[in-house]
Amino acid sequence: MTQPFLQTIDDLRHTVKVNASFKFEILEPYLQDAFDRYIVPYLGEALVDRLYREPLTEDILTIKTLASRTLGPLAVAIASPELGVLIGDSGHTVGRNDKFTVASDQKIARSEESMQERGWNNLDKLLEHLGSHENDYPEWKESRYYKNQANDHYLNSAREFQDYGKVNIDYSRLTFEKFRPLLDTLEMKLCRWIGTTLDKSLKDTLRTGVDDPLRIKLIDYILSLIHISEPTRPY
């Protein structure tokens, strides 16, 4: 089992604020869960293994830093509901002492939301970095995330989704991934409406850039059908 990039409490403190008394071993199970859930599917095991083997060049350091800044907040966020509760013979209890008291549910929720947002934003930055250095990391193409990317749709990337679909998602790759199942469903329905031959022809027009006013007008109508008014974050 590949180990997370964060190995010590000092590593963790570079990514998220924790109390000086916090014991790192308490978080270790959550780090592994977060690593398996948020890092390995997006980077792929082959690239993760390479990151451990490679000399620490500037670019490798950038990737590992962004991966760590993704992992820390998300691991603490998924651990947060359990860390605040003690489980023993008396069931679920909450600890108190003279210096600290339990945070309100509202503050806990805001803290978790902030950590999730930071973690996802850093993962977006990581994927953007890998996308701009794709030829340097062929192992990335073996990841689940990369293999799930298709190029045979009307909108095939976050940039196309925002620029052509006219939906502001801050060019977030992860938000676009959240919309993929819905886009697939819409395109399947569209294909039934207009027929497979015309559907394929219009997609070819998009890819080849053929200047056909009628086809371009049809594509504009199709993109307006795909418009989604209220995009959401991936968490």
Side-chain angles (χ1 to χ4, degrees):
M1 180 183 294
T2 306
Q3 297 298 310
F5 295 120
L6 303 178
Q7 298 291 319
T8 68
I9 188 66
D10 289 332
D11 291 341
L12 179 64
R13 285 182 182 144
H14 281 98
T15 68
V16 68
K17 181 182 178 181
V18 292
N19 193 282
S21 62
F22 186 83
K23 293 181 173 59
F24 183 73
E25 58 267 23
I26 294 176
L27 190 65
E28 285 183 306
Y30 305 100
L31 277 171
Q32 188 66 58
D33 288 344
F35 187 74
D36 293 341
R37 180 177 178 181
Y38 302 119
I39 301 299
V40 175
Y42 291 98
L43 270 63
E45 292 185 4
L47 178 55
V48 169
D49 289 341
R50 177 181 170 184
L51 295 177
Y52 278 102
R53 296 193 314 268
E54 287 274 312
L56 202 60
T57 62
E58 182 177 350
D59 200 56
I60 293 294
L61 179 61
T62 296
I63 295 174
K64 295 184 76 170
T65 297
L66 287 172
S68 297
R69 289 169 57 190
T70 297
L71 182 60
L74 291 178
V76 176
I78 64 175
S80 179
E82 294 183 36
L83 292 179
V85 177
L86 303 174
I87 303 175
D89 295 339
S90 301
H92 292 69
T93 59
V94 176
R96 294 180 183 274
N97 60 39
D98 295 336
K99 294 183 179 180
F100 301 100
T101 188
V102 179
S104 66
D105 291 343
Q106 183 180 20
K107 287 187 176 181
I108 293 172
R110 287 172 59 189
S111 174
E112 291 174 7
E113 182 179 353
S114 174
M115 287 185 287
Q116 288 176 337
E117 184 171 2
R118 288 203 300 114
W120 284 110
N121 284 341
N122 286 324
L123 182 54
D124 247 331
K125 293 176 184 176
L126 175 56
L127 295 175
E128 184 70 26
H129 181 81
L130 288 171
S132 62
H133 296 76
E134 188 173 323
N135 293 332
D136 296 332
Y137 301 101
E139 299 91 343
W140 185 44
K141 297 178 181 180
E142 298 302 312
S143 68
R144 186 192 310 170
Y145 165 79
Y146 192 95
K147 288 182 177 180
N148 283 343
Q149 297 183 87
N151 58 5
D152 58 349
H153 295 292
Y154 290 98
L155 300 173
N156 295 291
S157 68
R159 184 162 296 279
E160 290 181 2
F161 188 80
Q162 180 156 332
D163 290 347
Y164 304 141
K166 307 303 181 184
V167 181
N168 181 16
I169 58 171
D170 295 325
Y171 296 108
S172 167
R173 290 170 177 249
L174 295 173
T175 302
F176 177 68
E177 287 304 308
K178 186 182 177 81
F179 286 136
R180 272 192 186 276
L182 178 56
L183 294 176
D184 289 343
T185 300
L186 289 173
E187 289 201 15
M188 288 174 61
K189 291 181 179 179
L190 177 66
C191 187
R192 289 199 296 268
W193 293 338
I194 67 176
T196 303
T197 301
L198 178 57
D199 182 66
K200 181 179 183 303
S201 178
L202 292 175
K203 289 177 180 176
D204 288 342
T205 299
L206 266 177
R207 283 191 289 271
T208 59
V210 175
D211 187 12
D212 184 326
L214 178 58
R215 290 178 180 273
I216 297 301
K217 191 67 174 178
L218 283 173
I219 291 171
D220 286 341
Y221 286 143
I222 289 170
L223 295 180
S224 69
L225 289 174
I226 297 175
H227 182 277
I228 300 172
S229 61
E230 295 184 5
T232 58
R233 299 297 296 172
Y235 47 83

